[in-house]
Amino acid sequence: MPINLQQLQEQFEREHFIDTTKPVWNYSLLTDEDIKNFQNGTHYTLYEKFGSHSIKVNGIWGMYFCVWAPSAKFVNVIGNFNNWNKLAHPLHPRWDKSGIWEGFIPHFKLGEVYKYHIVGANNFIGDKGDPFAHFWELKPLTASITWDLYYAWNDQEWMQNRKKHNALNAPWSVYEVHLASWQRPEPGNEHKYNTYDQIRERLVPYVKEMGFTHVELMPIAEHPFDGSWGYQITGYYAPTSRFGDPQGLMRLIDAFHQEGIGVILDWVPSHFPYDAHGLYMFDGNHTYEYADMRKGFHPDWNSYIFNYKRGEVKSFLISNARFWFDVFHIDGIRVDAVSSMLKLNYSRKEGEWEPNEFGGDGNLEAIQFIKDLNEMVYRDFPDVQTIAEEATDWPGVSKPTYTGGLGFGMKWMMGWMHDSLNYFKRDPIYRAHHQNDFTFSMMYYYDENFMLPISHDEVVHGKSPLIFKMPGDLWQKFANLRLFFTYMWTHPGAKLLFMGSEFGQTSEWNYKSELDWHLLQYQSHRGAQHCLKQLNQLLKTEPALHIKQFTTDGFEWVDLNHREECVIVYKRKGENPEDDLLIVLNMTPEVRTDWVIEITGKQYTQEIFNSDLKEYDGTGDVYNPQIRCECVDAIEQRYRITINIPPLAGLILK
């Protein structure tokens, strides 16, 4: 049975002389096993001992500090408590040459700002934030803050039952959110933020009302620059202070869980910025990043790449993933920029990278890191998911590690996103010639467990908002948008939609402002929003739309032979044949009356969804209160149904 913290403290105090005459007492929470696992890259709970921890030593409350700085010659805790004196409170280097500095400062309180003043290699002298800090000052200030993460959770029901909500055969409809710009207290003021509690009061009911099953929060770990959208992190173990303290985020996640909504965090183990208070050149050497800039520098993002070969860095990162699952009860991580981690030649020209020991372009230690990460997550949290943002043809991304895969639960289907948007951008008159763009996704769909992403990346940098990717006049744009939603929600796989797309946001996403909520005064925008809400409801209530979303018998093409008319028909199939659904998509603005479809297996007699309804701001003129269905061959169970298909619309029949 593992020793607990109190037993460890009592043992240390029994076995060691603690010199209480010095400002920093010689004290350690680390065991020899901790050090061994830390160095081997197999210590996955570093957050329990590294960083700052409020403990009682010899009957006196204070703060224990522990930091890894292997090239440091001197490490001193500085802050308001000692008037930022760079000599007054030096930490003790461990005798075992592990590069860890530690010590206990009596009477040090929670809520105090601090940094580590480090004298290191290559004449380095600098003040660094704590890599394990749980709270940081609000930008532009950069000090860490001592903090306790105690919180009384109220999500026991969700945590006990979440396995069924997060399973691969559960409905997955994910709302991607950038917390700062979803809503602001002053819409045009980029320096004002709602608090976690204000976000909780507004966002949770909205996501619940819209029927999304999960939210994905763009990176909320502490980061200095708003323009990085959270992807350039300095405080990996701290929720950003822009919205309040860590317990505020806990209350937000707790509230989502109480409403039956899962929470996914965007997680960035691929790179970090060069800010002076962050991880870069932490002790005067390349401590966290590769020393060889052919591997250690990221040319696209002007940032630095973690050294996955170093056991201590690997322990830092895998512990960080575990920290969010363990302490914040999250339901999944979307791992950013996996392609850049896997490939040594990612965004590099010939001569700018060095092959691995086998002559290939794979980063072998990054591959092993990813496998170890996923094995830890699914071992310790079997009721969550890891999701890879990976854009290459790397095999087995969402296959188990024991079969040679990387071990993710799901992978973003970037090919589907590109092909589908290219198809829908075309004037309907030309779509007949590009049906392959539409159908190609099912050629490779079963290679992975795919999530269909329409993410923030698709609505920035001149790419235009989703509504303006659609061709035609305003009516056709909204009809196409509803048709696209119908297609996306009936295509196999999990769904992810970036905020604002659900109501036809008309401006590109701007992190400095907020969504165009004023558009909801217009029926066309309210109609699109209502349409998506209904699709979310169907996704949850119709087993055929999710129960076999990753298996080969969950989908069947019915009619791809009307290329000129651009009418496409397919089935989604459940465990029971009576649950099967027939999806009919009309990709042109032509009304198709008395349209005949021949099917096998069962009859379809009810229209349960029509994207052209008046309540969605459609025409409302073409629908099927009764579906004519006649038996063509009773032995073969072949039927002929005759329906009317609205313009630029999708139907779901049961």
Side-chain angles (χ1 to χ4, degrees), residues 192-265:
K192 295 288 186 181
Y193 311 97
N194 284 315
T195 66
Y196 286 116
D197 288 328
Q198 289 168 328
I199 294 168
R200 171 173 53 86
E201 292 166 0
R202 296 161 174 77
L203 180 61
V204 176
Y206 180 77
V207 174
K208 176 75 170 178
E209 172 67 18
M210 286 299 299
F212 288 98
T213 64
H214 295 74
V215 292
E216 180 183 304
L217 306 182
M218 289 173 65
I220 49 81
E222 193 57 83
H223 53 283
F225 178 46
D226 282 7
S228 77
W229 310 337
Y231 289 97
Q232 301 261 356
I233 296 170
T234 48
Y236 272 79
Y237 285 80
T240 177
S241 57
R242 286 164 174 79
F243 315 117
D245 61 32
Q247 280 78 4
L249 177 60
M250 292 175 176
R251 288 190 293 274
L252 175 61
I253 295 171
D254 202 347
F256 274 123
H257 283 174
Q258 290 178 55
E259 294 295 347
I261 298 163
V263 180
I264 302 162
L265 293 190

Side-chain angles (χ1 to χ4, degrees), residues 22 62 69 74 85 112 122 128 162 221 243 256 266 301 324-325 360 366 376 432 442 490 492 504 527 545 572 601:
K22 294 182 178 178
F74 179 79
N85 187 314
E112 289 279 354
N122 305 310
K128 291 288 188 175
R162 71 175 178 174
F243 315 117
F256 274 123
D266 214 335
W301 303 315
W324 293 106
F325 285 110
M376 180 282 295
M442 293 311 299
T490 57
L545 292 179
R572 290 298 307 278

